[in-house]
Amino acid sequence: MEEITRDIIERAAGGDMEAFEAIYKAVSGLVFNLALRITNSRPDAEEATQDIFLKIYDNLRYFEFRSSFKTWVYRIAANTAINVYNKNIKERLRRVDFDTVIETTGNSSGIREAAQSSDARKLLSSLLESLTPEHRAAIVLREIEGLSYEEIARALGEKLNTVRTRLKRARQALLELAKKAVQNELR
Amino acid sequence: MNCDRAKELLLTDFLDREADAQTYTEVQRHLAACPDCRRFEEEVLRNAVLPFKNQPQEEPPRDVWLGVRERITARKIRKARFPGPALTLMSACAAVFIIFAAVTKYNADKAQVTDYLSDQMDFFTALNNGVDAESDESYYAF
């Protein structure tokens, strides 16, 4: 992420669109990828990313520089993406998404196909489908964004132990899915 | 350290390098002596860590920024036409005026009714007492 200076944040908070665009260019990749992993749907991720930046724009004047700007952005991004996922879930389960191998949650044969096709993106999408959005947020912030437990806790507004539990549950779910995939292959 | 505790840490603090030095050493010592936990560690790395590595980072489509900018601009235009705080103040003043007028009218009507009833009470009292109400000067005092 390019450095966002205090001056840019203050100017954007005052309505300076050029400054706000600089913020967008600096963090849009981070925001979009987090939204993509949490919603596990490209259209939902695009919708969430727009909502996230509107919230950033509306709330910049309340950012007090007590935490890092990146942590503040992560918090807005994770919560908004989870809300978009929950809002669209009914439609999402009905919709067949041709960008992913799996149509429904926990389809271990789809994981087998994705693994065999060596498509890392599809495999990850299949794995994320088996997790709740809260578990996705924790594991993506840890494994892809490389945040520490403390940073994840601040980003999600959760206690440290909650973060630890979410990571444990997410990994247990992934192990269980892998076990089912192997069992199906042996049949 | 028993296997349950070791597996717990293999799913969390040990895996994520959040464990303190002593705990880290204890887990390593346990792994050296326990093939089952070593297999478990490999499964965790293969199924819960490796799939996340080297994932391509994507940029959002250009349309996303255009949509954000459009929505902010549209909101600014709406605010310019209908300034929120001024409209709220005008509405509040109008509401206060209407309530005041209604209360004033109610009190005025109530006073008239009370006076009328009071006069009637005096009249009937006078009748009852055999007094000619019209001879009472206060009858005309209004």
Side-chain angles (χ1 to χ4, degrees):
Chain A
M1 185 177 96
E2 287 175 34
E3 196 191 329
I4 301 291
T5 62
R6 189 177 184 122
D7 175 61
I8 288 174
I9 292 171
E10 286 173 348
R11 283 197 288 124
D16 184 335
M17 281 306 288
E18 205 176 295
F20 184 64
E21 190 173 0
I23 291 175
Y24 179 87
K25 283 179 178 167
V27 301
S28 57
L30 174 168
V31 166
F32 180 70
N33 282 284
L34 183 61
L36 188 59
R37 308 303 178 205
I38 290 175
T39 62
N40 211 21
S41 154
R42 188 162 296 274
D44 289 359
E46 291 178 18
E47 177 190 341
T49 302
Q50 278 204 24
D51 290 350
I52 289 160
F53 277 97
L54 280 168
K55 283 185 185 173
I56 290 173
Y57 182 80
D58 287 341
N59 292 288
L60 269 172
R61 61 181 178 274
Y62 301 121
F63 178 64
E64 294 176 349
F65 300 93
R66 284 190 277 121
S67 66
S68 79
F69 185 68
K70 200 173 169 183
T71 303
W72 188 74
V73 168
Y74 273 133
R75 180 183 279 216
I76 295 174
N79 288 325
T80 305
I82 290 170
N83 289 340
V84 168
Y85 172 86
N86 287 331
K87 180 173 73 77
N88 294 341
I89 187 169
K90 285 179 187 172
E91 190 182 330
R92 199 181 61 81
L93 287 174
R94 279 199 307 269
R95 183 176 63 209
V96 175
D97 189 336
F98 290 104
D99 286 339
T100 60
V101 174
I102 303 300
E103 294 177 63
T104 57
T105 303
N107 186 336
S108 54
S109 64
I111 293 181
R112 195 170 64 245
E113 287 167 25
Q116 286 169 353
S117 74
S118 301
D119 189 325
R121 192 166 63 89
K122 285 183 179 176
L123 175 59
L124 181 61
S125 182
S126 306
L127 295 175
L128 290 173
E129 196 64 30
S130 66
L131 304 177
T132 67
E134 289 79 8
H135 289 164
R136 289 179 202 174
I139 201 151
V140 166
L141 287 173
R142 173 68 206 119
E143 295 297 349
I144 297 182
E145 301 298 325
L147 268 58
S148 68
Y149 284 11
E150 182 67 42
E151 288 169 328
I152 296 172
R154 277 204 298 268
L156 298 181
E158 300 283 3
K159 293 179 184 167
L160 210 63
N161 269 339
T162 304
V163 170
R164 186 178 279 111
T165 303
R166 291 235 175 111
L167 285 170
K168 180 182 153 189
R169 298 266 182 268
R171 287 162 176 158
Q172 283 173 329
L174 293 175
L175 289 180
E176 191 58 33
L177 197 61
K179 201 187 294 182
K180 280 184 190 169
V182 168
Q183 284 168 354
N184 285 337
E185 201 171 306
L186 291 173
R187 282 198 196 132
Chain B
M1 178 174 288
N2 60 34
C3 289
D4 284 345
R5 179 66 182 141
K7 285 178 180 174
E8 171 100 18
L9 289 165
L10 287 169
L11 286 170
T12 55
D13 296 66
F14 180 83
L15 177 66
D16 296 321
R17 300 190 185 280
E18 294 272 346
D20 58 65
Q22 185 182 344
T23 305
Y24 198 79
T25 305
E26 282 176 29
V27 174
Q28 282 185 315
R29 203 174 289 143
H30 181 90
L31 286 172
C34 180
D36 183 54
C37 284
R38 280 203 302 276
R39 267 193 300 277
F40 182 79
E41 186 191 23
E42 284 167 13
E43 281 172 23
V44 171
L45 289 171
R46 189 169 54 246
N47 299 303
V49 175
L50 203 57
F52 293 91
K53 296 303 175 198
N54 303 317
Q55 284 293 327
Q57 294 289 74
E58 303 180 41
E59 290 297 318
R62 176 90 182 126
D63 286 349
V64 171
W65 167 247
L66 295 176
V68 171
R69 197 177 61 185
E70 196 179 298
R71 285 164 76 176
I72 291 172
T73 306
R75 228 194 278 177
K76 282 181 179 174
I77 291 171
R78 268 202 307 275
K79 267 189 183 170
R81 283 186 191 153
F82 303 105
L87 188 63
T88 305
L89 185 61
M90 279 168 49
S91 304
C93 287
V96 167
F97 177 74
I98 289 167
I99 291 168
F100 177 74
V103 167
T104 305
K105 177 104 174 46
Y106 169 77
N107 285 336
D109 288 348
K110 189 178 165 188
Q112 280 184 2
V113 168
T114 306
D115 288 345
Y116 174 75
L117 288 174
S118 178
D119 285 347
Q120 292 302 305
M121 287 291 292
D122 290 343
F123 179 69
F124 286 115
T125 303
L127 276 180
N128 196 41
N129 295 336
V131 171
D132 183 355
E134 289 181 5
S135 67
D136 187 351
E137 283 179 359
S138 67
Y139 184 82
Y140 297 103
F142 58 89

